[in-house]
Amino acid sequence: MIDEPRLLDREATPAADGELFSVDADAHLQKLTSCMFPTPAQLPVELVRAALKRRAAGVALEVRRSRLVIDDDGEEVTAAQWRDLACALDARRAPADREKAISALQDAARPGIGLLAVLVPGAQEIRIESPGRDKRPALHARGGTVESAASTKDSRGTRIAIRRRDGSVASEKKLLTELCAAVAGEITLNGLRIGKKPVLRRTLVQQEVDLGTDRGPFRVAIPARGDICRIWLLDQQIPWQLFTCAPYHGLVFDAALESRQAATQQEFAQLAAAAARLYHWLADHYPSFPPRYQERIEELLFKKIGTTGDLRLLSSFAPFRLRHSHQRLSLEEVRRQAARGRLVALPLDASRERFPDVQQQALLLTPRQRDFLINVAGVPLVSLPPSAAGSGKWAKRAGVWLRHAHRLAARLPRWHTGVLDATRLSADESRLCRELELMGRAHAHPLLPFPLGVAMIPGRGLGPSFWRRATPGDLLLRRGHPLVRSAVRSVARDRANAELALAALVPRSF
């Protein structure tokens, strides 16, 4: 949100010596143009807005590092604003008069600052031409002085030319392109027309709503993503403030309104009512949307129903799929199916091979649909136990591979350079071997019907260990295997970890 700086007290208080307190109008102007907006790069946008308020149908901008020009075809600057602007820019005028002029210009331009935006950072010279029918001379401000100069513009409109030290060209161009995209008139930037875009973008559906007020029509939309409400306040179709709030009675919507103040509570309720009608429209037209937008519609409608408990939205909404059918069911139809008997719920990607035993009619559900039917709508669904799922061709092959993986890992790399002598092992490695042998003697592992002898060999392989063929019960650990190194560290910290290390290191195939 944009916070307006406080104006200095225009009611000057007499000092002890009878003089008025000094008011620094130059500092006030600098603060106004620097702090009124999130960034001073928005000042050219404010000059475009001022031109549109003078009924300009076209605005041409030239934005350069050391030069800024705004030329429009609107009405001339009013005589009162011209006098106030000349006074505000002239450092030779009385501070109280300058403050009064600044206040008048700002009041006329609210919620922005209007022509005061000519004081862009680093401005060295300002020339404003708005001759009108009286062929008024140009206003030329430089070094704190304001003078009249011959005007070179003899046509309708106003031309503002500013020479400056170093402008934020990239930021200014970006803000002009984004914020002025919804303006009905033609805006050109450095000779190129600014592309048109709506204020409310990335929406599923939007509609113009007449609230019966003097503000004019509002626009309400349902966003394609996000879960908060956004209310854009516009001035001349240029955004100047954004309000955000949590979903209103479960409704997520965006709105844009031409207004100098925030929407009242009554107006906000009217906006929400319009959004509720758009929710019903989305429910009715759900099948015509692409799949990714259907998921968004489901998300919005399910959240709305979960918040309010009102199921009327689902009277014409049929998102639930039947297996082996193109038919979609509404909530009421799903309930009737469940009332007839056992209603099975399957994953959306369920195939005949994965669930060969399911003969009755079943629903294919996404996790969101399943959660809604069970936890919000209270529909009794039956989930298949893991044993009911078939293997499928690829699952069977994977299962065969997994059953032989440990055996393969244990048998392949049996060649080694010899068992490491105890003197070549570290203290922690020796401790691991000793603790595993003690666990083996205690028959701590169900696959050990015999005493266990543990030794280490150098290197690493597919598996962390294997059995020595010549001597049953001798377990050889590969010293460099990551699992063996981890077991060494774990048992070094706490010998009670030896049981876990034994279960992890003993091969599962003999």
Side-chain angles (χ1 to χ4, degrees):
M1 298 193 310
I2 302 171
D3 296 324
E4 294 183 9
R6 295 181 179 178
L7 288 176
L8 299 177
D9 189 2
R10 296 194 296 272
E11 299 293 333
T13 305
D17 56 0
E19 295 182 355
L20 298 179
F21 283 116
S22 174
V23 181
D24 192 344
D26 289 322
H28 183 192
L29 285 172
Q30 184 178 4
K31 181 180 179 182
L32 195 64
T33 54
S34 300
C35 305
M36 182 69 181
F37 303 101
T39 169
Q42 198 169 329
L43 291 172
V45 175
E46 182 63 15
L47 292 176
V48 172
R49 195 196 319 268
L52 297 174
K53 288 184 176 181
R54 296 192 299 271
R55 304 180 187 277
V59 182
L61 295 107
E62 180 185 350
V63 180
R64 309 292 180 191
R65 185 180 64 82
S66 59
R67 179 177 171 84
L68 178 64
V69 179
I70 301 95
D71 199 342
D72 68 73
D73 60 0
E75 299 173 355
E76 70 271 17
V77 177
T78 65
Q81 287 187 345
W82 191 264
R83 288 193 301 269
D84 288 334
L85 186 61
C87 179
L89 298 179
D90 195 343
R92 299 169 298 181
R93 302 289 293 270
D97 293 339
R98 295 182 70 192
E99 279 297 319
K100 185 176 180 180
I102 293 170
S103 178
L105 288 168
Q106 189 174 6
D107 289 342
R110 290 186 187 279
I113 59 174
L115 290 172
L116 290 173
V118 298
L119 289 165
V120 297
Q124 296 174 316
E125 186 176 356
I126 302 170
R127 182 183 179 89
I128 305 174
E129 300 178 64
S130 187
R133 289 171 295 183
D134 298 332
K135 305 299 180 182
R136 183 169 49 198
L139 187 152
H140 185 261
R142 181 179 181 181
T145 62
V146 176
E147 300 174 348
S148 297
S151 178
T152 60
K153 186 177 180 68
D154 55 2
S155 60
R156 171 186 170 93
T158 300
R159 185 175 189 272
I160 301 173
I162 303 170
R163 186 170 63 84
R164 57 185 179 178
R165 284 191 296 272
D166 188 11
S168 303
V169 175
S171 298
E172 290 172 346
K173 291 168 66 175
K174 182 178 180 180
L175 286 170
L176 285 165
T177 302
E178 289 296 320
L179 297 181
C180 299
V183 173
E186 181 177 300
I187 311 294
T188 60
L189 176 58
N190 293 346
L192 299 177
R193 183 181 301 176
I194 290 178
K196 298 297 182 183
K197 298 178 186 177
V199 175
L200 303 180
R201 306 168 194 172
R202 294 182 290 275
T203 64
L204 296 175
V205 60
Q206 56 180 285
Q207 183 182 36
E208 195 170 86
V209 181
D210 188 358
L211 300 183
T213 65
D214 56 357
R215 295 196 190 187
F218 293 9
R219 184 160 289 275
V220 181
I222 307 302
R225 60 172 179 250
D227 55 1
I228 61 173
C229 297
R230 296 178 178 86
I231 311 298
W232 292 94
L233 301 182
L234 313 177
D235 185 16
Q236 306 301 313
Q237 290 301 304
I238 298 176
W240 66 272
Q241 196 167 48
L242 171 65
F243 287 95
T244 60
C245 65
Y248 183 79
H249 297 304
L251 293 168
V252 177
F253 63 92
D254 292 345
L257 55 146
E258 188 79 17
S259 175
R260 294 188 176 189
Q261 59 186 17
T264 64
Q265 185 175 358
Q266 179 182 358
E267 289 170 338
F268 192 84
Q270 289 177 288
L271 293 175
R277 292 193 293 271
L278 292 181
Y279 266 57
H280 281 280
W281 188 92
L282 288 174
D284 294 339
H285 294 80
Y286 168 84
S288 63
F289 282 85
R292 66 190 183 100
Y293 292 120
Q294 288 182 348
E295 293 178 6
R296 171 61 172 172
I297 294 172
E298 289 181 19
E299 175 191 1
L300 291 170
L301 297 185
F302 289 164
K303 284 184 177 179
K304 172 70 167 65
I305 295 167
T307 302
T308 62
D310 186 359
L311 297 176
R312 288 176 296 178
L313 266 176
L314 298 184
S315 59
S316 59
F317 182 47
F320 309 109
R321 310 176 192 184
L322 275 177
R323 192 187 191 199
H324 307 316
S325 173
H326 296 293
Q327 183 182 1
R328 298 290 188 99
L329 303 182
S330 66
L331 175 61
E332 192 59 37
E333 290 169 329
V334 169
R335 282 176 166 167
R336 285 199 294 267
Q337 291 277 354
R340 295 191 188 110
R342 186 170 178 261
L343 184 58
V344 176
L346 300 178
L348 193 61
D349 59 352
S351 62
R352 191 183 301 273
E353 290 77 15
R354 291 182 59 201
F355 297 89
D357 299 330
V358 179
Q359 304 298 329
Q360 71 270 39
Q361 211 166 35
L363 290 176
L364 298 179
L365 302 175
T366 64
R368 179 182 291 117
Q369 292 172 343
R370 179 187 177 87
D371 176 72
F372 173 79
L373 288 176
I374 295 176
N375 298 317
V376 179
V379 177
L381 298 177
V382 177
S383 299
L384 292 179
S387 59
S391 304
K393 179 175 67 175
W394 297 108
K396 289 178 180 177
R397 293 181 181 179
V400 171
W401 187 88
L402 287 173
R403 282 194 297 273
H404 296 285
H406 290 287
R407 185 175 302 165
L408 180 65
R411 292 178 64 87
L412 278 178
R414 293 196 175 259
W415 301 276
H416 54 85
T417 58
V419 176
L420 294 172
D421 186 79
T423 58
R424 298 174 60 185
L425 299 179
S426 68
D428 291 342
E429 290 170 338
S430 298
R431 183 181 297 109
L432 173 65
C433 295
R434 185 171 61 254
E435 293 296 335
L436 293 183
E437 289 178 347
L438 292 174
M439 297 297 296
R441 294 193 188 104
H443 299 296
H445 195 285
L447 297 179
L448 295 177
F450 42 74
L452 181 67
V454 182
M456 282 195 179
I457 62 172
R460 54 188 294 175
L462 292 178
S465 63
F466 61 90
W467 297 107
R468 192 190 312 199
R469 288 179 178 176
T471 310
D474 277 7
L475 181 66
L476 300 183
L477 304 180
R478 293 188 173 90
R479 186 184 196 181
H481 195 280
L483 191 58
V484 174
R485 293 201 302 265
S486 177
V488 169
R489 293 191 297 269
S490 179
V491 173
R493 288 194 301 268
D494 187 353
R495 59 178 296 182
N497 293 329
E499 185 174 354
L500 293 176
L502 181 67
L505 295 177
V506 169
R508 301 188 184 185
S509 177
F510 292 91

